[in-house]
Amino acid sequence: MDRTIPINDFPKLTLLGKQSGFNVSIDLLDEKDGIYEYNFSLKKTKAAAPQTLTLRWRLPSLNVKGVWTSASLYEKRQQYDWELKHLESRVSVHAPVVSVFGHDDINVITFACSDAINKLEMNALLREEDNHLYCHLSFFTERHPEITDYSARIRVDLRKLSFAQSLQEVSDWWTTFAPLKPAPVPSLARVPLYSSWYQFHQSLDIEALYEECKIARKIGCELIILDDGWQTMDGNRGYDFCGDWQPERIPNMHEFVENLHQIGMKFGLWFSVPFCGVKSKAYQRFKGKFLTENHRWAPVFDPRHPDVRQYLIDIYTNALTDYNLDAFKLDFIDDFQAYPNTVLTKENGRDYANVNEAVDRLMTDVMTSLRAIKPDIAIEFRQKYVGPTMRKYGNMFRAFDCPNDAVSNRIRTTDVKLLAGHTAVHADMFTWHFDEQVEIAALQMWNTIFAVPQVSVMLRDLPDDHRKMLEFYLKYWRENSETLLDGHFVPQNPISHYPILSAYKADHIIYGIYENNVIDIDTNFQKIHLINAKRTAYLACNFSSKTNKNVYVFDCMGNKISNHKITFEMGIAQLRVPPSGLILMD
């Protein structure tokens, strides 16, 4: 970074980089109550490949604690202008927004871009020479096809409100753009589900799976996602046989699905969308129509070819009708990208030059085709393809794989939830060792209580106390899902991995407490639930006013420990509750 280049103080933006022959403009369209909106545009008579352009501005670094992005996960600290790792977003990777938050979780600056298709780079970096934040938004940082025009909107929020609310309003702002209108969310996207992955992997035993589904249905799961392995007898955890998508391991797939429907279980199938394995028939058919054949797992389809797109659409629509599916898990979308040897032109059968635009076309057509057959089809994507464009194609966003890692699952579901709007956010599948203490196993669930649960353990082998714990958790989640999923969501202290989460709706508030912090209890709510998602047997609660409550205390298996009417004075009180236990107040 050249520190000799003068950078404008916000709200004036500095343009860095040159575009040969392009007319570049930056226009402030609106400023109201601390929200600024700009239009950034390029125009040229003759098409040319654009070069990298960066918008940069600075502001004093006051009350800055950390920086939130959809990619920051465990490291939401400040970064410095000599660091080179920035947020990268595109159609199927992350979301184009950066939020700087203060020591009180208050927004310092949140800025976002409307271009959720093309690759962007963004960051807010501290410069030690002057203790200013230097924010930047870079366009055309990867090879780009020739264009004659381009435009994008940029939104900057300087209001002193919760960083979470600022992010949630960015999510709402994205939906005002017609190309980013989210898909409807069916009720099926919001029910606990059973996944085959962590306990079966590719070694599927269909009889055992059916018996598992019967148990899962009894304890409250309404959907099964059958993951990798149904399409091949190979169990090497590879992708050589992806591409044909014939149910080799379950030849009577339609009958299997109907049997599940008869026990009240809906059914979804996993597909790795971009991969065309070298041992598939499709590999020979589409030779020469791959973005790359040098991927570590399998050749990657080139969606810029109309026949490739149609082939994939037909795979999914045929599966939907042939097997009477209720849901899809469409995986590895982020591997659609321009690789070093990808030619970025519209020729040789390609009707798009831009890979990102072709991905958008493919996934839009997939969703349109599936919904034409079954309007309430559920579509799952996993982190990191959970940005505003992906909300057009899917209605279930799942945390990235973090098996037996309760803390990661909490961080990931919270990060996804902040930008997901009404799209259903799912935890990564729960799995744990059956020799685990039941109170610790319960942390898998409580850490993701504000997301839809996915279970992926061998239910028939659960120890009795683990089964009671899981049944209690799922019962509690179903009874309170409206508040947990639709309530006003308040995450605290992102740089410390959200040690306290809460959601409230109407007269009901639920707190999830994950570390030994003091919890500020809002006594204006009639119903107050406190989840002690930690190993210590107490909660330190700071009551906002004097209040009288009926207090019910449960352990992690749902056993009632006590029931008392208690008068709490304003201020701090210690409440006894078992590890991974629950307190209900009314």
Side-chain angles (χ1 to χ4, degrees):
M1 179 178 294
D2 187 349
R3 292 179 176 81
T4 64
I5 299 174
I7 303 299
N8 289 318
D9 291 314
F10 190 81
K12 190 173 182 181
L13 309 185
T14 302
L15 176 67
L16 301 177
K18 295 182 179 180
Q19 291 287 357
S20 177
F22 280 98
N23 180 24
V24 182
S25 63
I26 310 165
D27 302 303
L28 178 61
L29 302 179
D30 188 43
E31 187 279 315
K32 185 177 181 181
D33 300 327
I35 298 177
Y36 298 76
E37 189 163 338
Y38 299 83
N39 187 67
F40 172 69
S41 64
L42 283 71
K43 289 187 180 296
K44 191 176 187 296
T45 303
K46 186 177 180 181
Q51 303 301 306
T52 300
L53 284 175
T54 297
L55 300 179
R56 194 181 298 276
W57 63 91
R58 71 171 198 162
L59 66 163
S61 179
L62 304 174
N63 186 32
V64 173
K65 186 175 186 180
V67 180
W68 188 99
T69 75
S70 61
S72 52
L73 293 175
Y74 315 106
E75 193 173 39
K76 294 179 171 68
R77 63 171 177 83
Q78 293 187 66
Q79 289 180 262
Y80 313 104
D81 70 347
W82 36 264
E83 297 188 78
L84 300 177
K85 185 178 180 180
H86 311 303
L87 170 70
E88 296 182 1
S89 73
R90 52 184 169 85
V91 59
S92 56
V93 174
H94 294 306
V97 59
V98 170
S99 182
V100 181
F101 56 88
H103 293 271
D104 44 9
D105 290 349
I106 295 299
N107 174 57
V108 176
I109 182 171
T110 297
F111 58 101
C113 185
S114 65
D115 185 359
I117 300 290
N118 296 292
K119 183 179 176 182
L120 304 175
E121 291 188 9
M122 308 171 67
N123 216 335
L125 304 167
L126 180 80
R127 180 171 293 182
E128 60 196 64
E129 285 84 355
D130 59 10
N131 283 302
H132 274 64
L133 283 178
Y134 284 75
C135 304
H136 75 261
L137 172 55
S138 297
F139 301 84
F140 314 118
T141 59
E142 67 176 355
R143 292 185 302 122
H144 198 283
E146 294 184 344
I147 58 173
T148 58
D149 59 88
Y150 172 89
S151 66
R153 296 289 182 91
I154 301 158
R155 183 183 190 270
V156 182
D157 183 357
L158 295 180
R159 294 173 298 165
K160 300 304 179 186
L161 75 173
S162 163
F163 84 99
Q165 182 177 342
S166 181
L167 286 169
Q168 289 157 358
E169 291 186 18
V170 166
S171 180
D172 293 338
W173 175 69
W174 280 323
T175 67
T176 64
F177 297 92
L180 299 178
K181 183 179 179 181
V185 182
S187 59
L188 187 61
R190 296 161 52 90
V191 301
L193 67 82
Y194 179 81
S195 166
S196 67
W197 182 242
Y198 285 139
Q199 71 279 40
F200 287 101
H201 290 100
Q202 288 182 318
S203 301
L204 292 171
D205 180 327
I206 303 309
E207 291 184 4
L209 182 62
Y210 179 70
E211 294 302 315
E212 284 290 291
C213 287
K214 289 198 291 187
I215 301 172
R217 186 67 190 92
K218 287 180 182 178
I219 66 174
C221 295
E222 300 179 43
L223 167 67
I224 173 179
I225 296 289
L226 183 58
D227 215 295
D228 189 4
W230 64 270
Q231 79 288 355
T232 178
M233 298 302 294
D234 179 70
N236 291 317
R237 294 280 294 273
Y239 300 91
D240 286 349
F241 294 91
C242 289
D244 296 336
W245 300 109
Q246 296 299 312
E248 290 190 10
R249 200 175 291 266
I250 315 176
N252 297 318
M253 179 70 80
H254 180 84
E255 179 183 348
F256 180 69
V257 175
E258 287 307 303
N259 289 338
L260 292 175
H261 284 165
Q262 288 176 16
I263 63 172
M265 186 72 92
K266 299 293 187 180
F267 183 82
L269 271 183
W270 169 90
F271 292 85
S272 62
V273 179
F275 296 154
C276 185
V278 295
K279 295 182 180 179
S280 69
K281 296 176 183 177
Y283 174 74
Q284 298 300 326
R285 173 179 171 181
F286 291 102
K287 191 74 172 171
K289 295 183 178 180
F290 300 117
L291 291 170
T292 183
E293 291 199 38
N294 294 320
H295 194 283
R296 63 172 176 154
W297 287 325
V300 178
F301 278 120
D302 187 344
R304 297 174 299 170
H305 290 272
D307 57 337
V308 169
R309 295 198 301 271
Q310 192 59 54
Y311 175 75
L312 293 173
I313 292 168
D314 289 344
I315 288 287
Y316 309 136
T317 54
N318 289 340
L320 176 58
T321 55
D322 291 348
Y323 311 141
N324 193 18
L325 301 183
D326 305 290
F328 286 83
K329 177 179 178 178
L330 300 180
D331 218 348
F332 295 105
I333 312 296
D334 53 328
D335 284 295
F336 282 129
Q337 60 179 299
Y339 291 87
N341 294 327
T342 302
V343 177
L344 299 180
T345 58
K346 190 195 302 186
E347 59 182 350
N348 296 328
R350 299 185 292 269
D351 60 352
Y352 284 86
N354 188 319
V355 175
N356 295 319
E357 291 177 359
V359 173
D360 180 52
R361 171 68 182 276
L362 167 65
M363 299 312 301
T364 298
D365 290 351
V366 166
M367 192 61 175
T368 300
S369 300
L370 294 176
R371 289 192 62 222
I373 300 170
K374 183 171 287 191
D376 61 348
I377 193 73
I379 308 290
E380 181 196 289
F381 295 118
R382 68 169 165 174
Q383 200 181 24
K384 55 191 174 178
Y385 22 104
V386 293
T389 312
M390 300 307 294
R391 290 186 68 197
K392 294 197 307 179
Y393 328 129
N395 39 47
M396 301 160 59
F397 282 174
R398 179 176 64 81
F400 188 79
D401 302 36
C402 49
N404 198 23
D405 188 343
V407 174
S408 290
N409 222 349
R410 179 177 82 240
I411 298 168
R412 290 178 176 281
T413 51
T414 301
D415 284 349
V416 174
K417 193 176 175 79
L418 285 172
L419 294 179
H422 296 296
T423 301
V425 176
H426 285 235
D428 185 41
M429 300 84 75
F430 304 143
T431 184
W432 63 91
H433 196 285
F434 288 170
D435 288 340
E436 184 67 270
Q437 295 180 40
V438 66
E439 295 86 357
I440 296 179
L443 295 176
Q444 299 293 330
M445 277 64 77
W446 288 134
N447 271 272
T448 58
I449 188 66
F450 299 95
V452 181
Q454 295 198 11
V455 180
S456 193
V457 293
M458 195 68 77
L459 297 174
R460 68 184 184 189
D461 298 330
L462 274 177
D464 288 343
D465 56 348
H466 288 210
R467 181 187 298 274
K468 291 176 183 177
M469 175 271 293
L470 181 57
E471 290 177 347
F472 172 60
Y473 166 82
L474 291 174
K475 181 177 184 290
Y476 176 83
W477 188 91
R478 291 195 306 272
E479 291 174 348
N480 296 278
S481 61
E482 188 173 341
T483 299
L484 292 167
L485 296 185
D486 302 328
H488 185 78
F489 183 56
V490 183
Q492 296 184 29
N493 201 352
I495 205 167
S496 296
H497 305 331
Y498 307 116
I500 300 174
L501 299 173
S502 62
Y504 62 85
K505 188 172 185 178
D507 67 343
H508 185 199
I509 188 166
I510 301 173
Y511 295 93
I513 302 100
Y514 305 99
E515 300 291 344
N516 287 328
N517 292 4
V518 175
I519 311 103
D520 292 323
I521 304 296
D522 189 340
T523 56
N524 291 313
F525 291 94
Q526 176 62 34
K527 295 192 299 181
I528 300 172
H529 293 185
L530 303 171
I531 299 167
N532 182 31
K534 51 189 179 66
R535 292 287 289 137
T536 48
Y538 65 87
L539 293 172
C541 299
N542 182 30
F543 289 88
S544 61
S545 65
K546 183 176 181 178
T547 186
N548 297 306
K549 293 291 183 184
N550 294 308
V551 180
Y552 308 85
V553 180
F554 299 85
D555 67 15
C556 68
M557 292 174 285
N559 299 310
K560 186 185 289 187
I561 304 301
S562 63
N563 177 12
H564 301 286
K565 190 173 184 65
I566 301 177
T567 298
F568 295 102
E569 300 293 336
M570 184 177 69
I572 296 179
Q574 186 184 88
L575 280 65
R576 303 300 298 180
V577 56
S580 295
L582 175 67
I583 296 177
L584 308 182
M585 298 183 184
D586 60 24

